[in-house]
Amino acid sequence: MKTRQKKSADASESKSKVKKRAGENSGPTLSKKLRERKDGETSKQGPHLKSAGAHKRGGYGSILHYIYKSTLGQSLHSKMRQCLQEPFVRSLSSYHFHGATSPFDRRITCLEWHPTHPTTLAVGSKGGDIYLQDFKVPTKKTFLQGMGVGDSVTDMKFNKLNPSQLFTSSMGGLHVCFCAQSGAGDFIGGMKFCPTDLSKVYVASGEGTLTMQSFEGRTPTVLSRSQDCGHDHHNVCYWYCCVDVSVSRQMLVTGDNVGQLVLLGLDGQKIFSDKLHKAKVTHAEFNPRCDWLLATASVDHTVKLWDLRNIKDKKSFLHEMPHERAVNSAYFNPLDCSKLLTTDQYDQIRIYSSSDWSKPQHIIQHPHRQFQHLTPIKATWHPFYDLIVVGRYPDDRVCPGDQRTIDIFDSNTAELVCQLQDPTASGIKSINKFNPMGDVIGSGMGVTVLVWDQNESLISDRHKAQEETSTSVDSLRGQRRRRQQRSSRDRRGPVVDAKLKKKLASLEESESKTKTQTGCTKQKQVQMRKK
DNA sequence: AGTGTATGCTCCC
DNA sequence: TGGGAGCCCTACAC
């Protein structure tokens, strides 16, 4: 089979090959079923989709036409946007791996871009830690230590009073207290920036709390805490797995590991709580445009839509979307909030549209199966184009010969339009999100945060990258030492990919070498650079 | 290079 | 509806 060939192509896979593979995937592997569905939809969707197709030929030319029409007072934003999507997709082929940080000793479980600062992102880890960084300014970083503390050790809160201090000096110092309490999971299940105060985040934690934490050193506020179970080896049997905020509703949603959904006021006051799912609630999200509409995803193989004005019990859902497997996420598209993107735990990415919630508009076959020791893979939207990003976990049963790429699909056609890959970042990228500007992708790969964009940063910013990496490795060492003391089973070290380290080291040695690095990156850099 | 370890999910009783 | 055996098969430290 062609498998072999593809595997050997790995590092130096040429751009044409990438493109070809994109074609392959959207073609034969996606099966006739899909294409038939696509055709059906086109007619259903009418002019909207057709125009997207028509502009493929028009390309840039038609943009001027729409700008002109727009100046005449016609509202044509969506068409203009579609025109711009095509050049954007083309520009994606020149995206490459920009830099990496490994701030944690446990794998990354969630990633959130800062809503207004396009180069700042926050990541949460399996160990309960949160790290805020500006990838352009490596010195701008804040580390929030995972609580891992029970009620009795309230003193530990001082840790958070000065996060920057904590990051540099407290790593080796505060170890003792953590051991006893740190249960198996104080992991960050979900995280959301507080829309009214971007220095804060709402955090759902595996230790059973929903908190509001501050990057400016204020004491975290516990908004909700699950019951202490009093068992020997852990503190809680129930913990929150996700969060979302609605400013207009003045409400938070969270769901727990057994299917309970909780609605809270912003002050933590409980508004509603009931077991709405039969198993873990993996995701809960308010529709930003229609604030009474709530989507929940669950390990019970369903995604459900709820009307918050009329939510009573598990039977009061508006719509149920059964899936073949457990579901990791259900995201409304940020642009008009009329679509829902779901990712299951095996090989389906679905796109539902508000015009008919009863069946998906598209089912994209895509390997991303569940594995116990991997952060669940979730497909996410581009902030304003009809595109989605998702990490691939190759599976020969689904699609033989795959690489561990980051895939970008057109959500209207279900076509794979681009794949990102770099030999120095060889792991599975479970989490991938575009920043709010839509021009950078942040990824979580094991313990490492990766950033992908068009800048030649491993070259021009290599010192920064180097500094960033070594800084985090150092801090991680301190952290690791501390953790080793606190628990022998909770040891894990933060390390960037060995190849990446080597690469950074060699960059340090010789400046002149810069343009000849790694196949994939280089080949992508050859591509034109817009902007 | 080889081993150990890490709070997922499913299925069956 | 709860508990536990069995299985999914990565990424890290030592």
Side-chain angles (χ1 to χ4, degrees), chain A residues 160-174:
Chain A
K160 314 222 166 170
L161 288 176
N162 191 337
S164 59
Q165 221 172 42
L166 183 140
F167 189 65
T168 53
S169 65
S170 69
M171 286 305 169
L174 295 173

Side-chain angles (χ1 to χ4, degrees), chain A residues 408-420:
Chain A
I408 295 150
F409 288 89
D410 181 316
S411 66
N412 288 322
T413 61
E415 255 179 314
L416 179 61
V417 294
C418 183
Q419 291 189 300
L420 301 178

Side-chain angles (χ1 to χ4, degrees), chain A residues 229-253:
Chain A
C229 63
H231 291 149
D232 286 348
H233 301 293
H234 57 249
N235 297 329
V236 289
C237 282
Y238 308 114
W239 54 85
Y240 298 121
C241 305
C242 53
V243 235
D244 194 21
V245 214
S246 165
V247 177
S248 58
R249 285 250 144 197
Q250 290 286 295
M251 232 185 240
L252 296 164
V253 226

Side-chain angles (χ1 to χ4, degrees), chain A residues 350-364:
Chain A
R350 298 184 177 200
I351 296 152
Y352 288 85
S353 170
S354 60
S355 57
D356 182 5
W357 294 119
S358 70
K359 59 176 192 299
Q361 206 169 46
H362 292 295
I363 297 179
I364 299 173

Side-chain angles (χ1 to χ4, degrees), chain A residues 3 62 117 155 192 327 345 487:
Chain A
T3 316
S62 49
H117 195 280
D155 283 357
K192 262 279 132 116
V327 190
Q345 293 196 348
S487 164

Side-chain angles (χ1 to χ4, degrees), chain A residues 282-284 296-298 303 323 326-331 340-344 377-380:
Chain A
T282 50
H283 188 91
T296 56
S298 169
V303 169
H323 284 60
V327 190
N328 286 334
S329 58
Y331 292 102
L340 197 65
L341 170 66
T342 70
T343 309
D344 78 351
I377 293 174
K378 300 173 177 186
T380 61

